[in-house]
Amino acid sequence: MAAIPYLLEKTVAISAVTRACYLTSSLFASLQKSETITKSDTSPVTIADFSAQAAVNSILTRVFPHDSIIGEEDSKDLQGDEGKVLRERVTELANEALQRPIIAGIEEKPEWGIGGTVKRSSDELLEAIDRGTAQGGSQGRTWCLDPIDGTKGFLRGNQYAVCLALVVDGIVQLGVIGCPNLSYTDVSSADITPGQGSIYVAVRGQGAEKYPFPPPATPAPAVKLSIPSDPNPPFRLLESFEKAHSNISFGTLVSRSLAVTTDNPPLRMDSQAKYCAVAAQTTGGYVYLRNPVPGKNYIEKIWDHAAGSVIIEEAGGAISDSYGEPLNFGLGRTLGPNKGIVACAKGEAHAKVIRAIAEARQVEEKMKLGDGDLRL
């Protein structure tokens, strides 16, 4: 019997993300302000980001030593005397994640450097964090990791995600997203129920599925994901919670063009959890819409979209930039010229969203000239 493509990679990725989700969820309600750093772009990074990246990269390096890794963080703020306190805390937390007993139902292997008495030094873990400095490109195998996507959501006590993808020769082949706060049974709300989360998985050509998090004592079969195909669904936009991440007023124009009704208000949540909500929806009308904020020449990072993109496609959906162009994950650490993101049901539903965006751009231009109306 022929081997199943990317079976080992899938199993290792689920293991790494699940362990990172245990780590981050344990810190979710107890993180101290002293354990948060503000980066040069004003975005926060926490000991949870560092610890999760250290743990995940340690596992990936042990199992796939020749693969490169693109990670969001580096160890600069953990070095020297100034970083001593944070460094020691990251070392403690990453080792706790790695030492967690073998998780039933995942088929983990101790030789991956997990379970029991495994212990990594601070130097080893800082080196693991810095394995994430690869530049990517159109050739070779590269893992893309966002250890906590939606750090502000994590700090607020809202949605966040641990996101891991494997890009091979510029094509995303595997994606795993852990959403410790996204309901396993209901994605119609951003509200959280502590202890009831989910993990989403997709391998190209093999479909998309979800599992409960934390994993139950008796492993449950995966739930297959299939976005309903409806050429005229009841549209509902999923947008970023943070106004700095998306052009909210533009989303209002798109909603008007799509005839979104008042009983389908935008669902705002942080992180790639939005991709998971689109993949798990039951209506066929959910649209993840990310529009560039005016005046900001932001270039999308591949770790913010790689895992979510393959989950959408394998659930039967469509993903593109806001002009309908495919996303290019073979350009390096960014999506280059791709501007904006659209993820929704494929076919006519996706075409309608792209047309609505074009119409919204026209209205926006008229408004700049004083000849437009933003009223719904």
Side-chain angles (χ1 to χ4, degrees), residues 9 33 69 74 98 115 249 332 353 367:
E9 289 87 344
K33 288 185 178 180
I69 305 173
D74 61 53
L98 294 170
S249 62
V353 175
M367 292 175 62

Side-chain angles (χ1 to χ4, degrees), residues 67-100:
D67 290 359
S68 61
I69 305 173
I70 291 177
E72 184 172 13
E73 312 306 341
D74 61 53
S75 70
K76 179 180 61 177
D77 291 310
L78 304 177
Q79 302 284 350
D81 291 340
E82 291 184 357
K84 183 175 184 295
V85 173
L86 287 178
R87 181 172 65 249
E88 291 177 347
R89 183 74 168 126
V90 166
T91 300
E92 174 190 3
L93 291 169
N95 275 311
E96 285 179 4
L98 294 170
Q99 291 166 358
R100 178 174 286 274

Side-chain angles (χ1 to χ4, degrees), residues 176-248:
V176 179
I177 300 180
C179 303
N181 293 336
L182 185 65
S183 171
Y184 181 64
T185 58
D186 180 13
V187 295
S188 65
S189 169
D191 295 341
I192 70 170
T193 303
Q196 296 184 25
S198 47
I199 293 179
Y200 287 72
V201 182
V203 178
R204 188 165 299 282
Q206 298 177 34
E209 56 199 20
K210 67 175 180 177
Y211 302 82
F213 176 83
T218 302
V223 172
K224 295 293 184 180
L225 301 173
S226 180
I227 299 173
S229 180
D230 184 344
N232 190 31
F235 286 110
R236 185 184 190 189
L237 299 190
L238 281 74
E239 297 182 298
S240 297
F241 187 94
E242 291 288 331
K243 293 182 179 180
H245 292 172
S246 189
N247 186 350
I248 302 300

Side-chain angles (χ1 to χ4, degrees), residues 27 71 122 128 165 271 275 311:
L27 287 170
S122 291
S271 81
Y275 282 124
I311 288 172

Side-chain angles (χ1 to χ4, degrees), residues 57-174:
N57 284 4
S58 293
I59 295 171
L60 294 178
T61 301
R62 183 69 173 264
V63 185
F64 307 109
H66 302 298
D67 290 359
S68 61
I69 305 173
I70 291 177
E72 184 172 13
E73 312 306 341
D74 61 53
S75 70
K76 179 180 61 177
D77 291 310
L78 304 177
Q79 302 284 350
D81 291 340
E82 291 184 357
K84 183 175 184 295
V85 173
L86 287 178
R87 181 172 65 249
E88 291 177 347
R89 183 74 168 126
V90 166
T91 300
E92 174 190 3
L93 291 169
N95 275 311
E96 285 179 4
L98 294 170
Q99 291 166 358
R100 178 174 286 274
I102 297 300
I103 302 170
I106 298 183
E107 301 183 6
E108 292 182 312
K109 307 291 184 184
E111 53 264 34
W112 298 351
I114 55 176
T117 58
V118 170
K119 187 172 184 179
R120 302 292 176 88
S121 68
S122 291
D123 287 344
E124 289 175 316
L125 292 170
L126 294 188
E127 182 179 349
I129 291 173
D130 288 335
R131 279 293 305 274
T133 58
Q135 295 304 304
S138 60
Q139 295 182 332
R141 289 168 47 109
T142 302
W143 294 89
C144 300
L145 171 66
D146 193 339
I148 295 186
D149 185 28
T151 302
K152 289 184 179 179
F154 176 78
L155 292 171
R156 281 196 313 271
N158 297 135
Q159 296 294 338
Y160 71 95
V162 178
C163 308
L164 181 63
L166 174 62
V167 179
V168 181
D169 296 335
I171 305 297
V172 184
Q173 296 291 347
L174 162 68

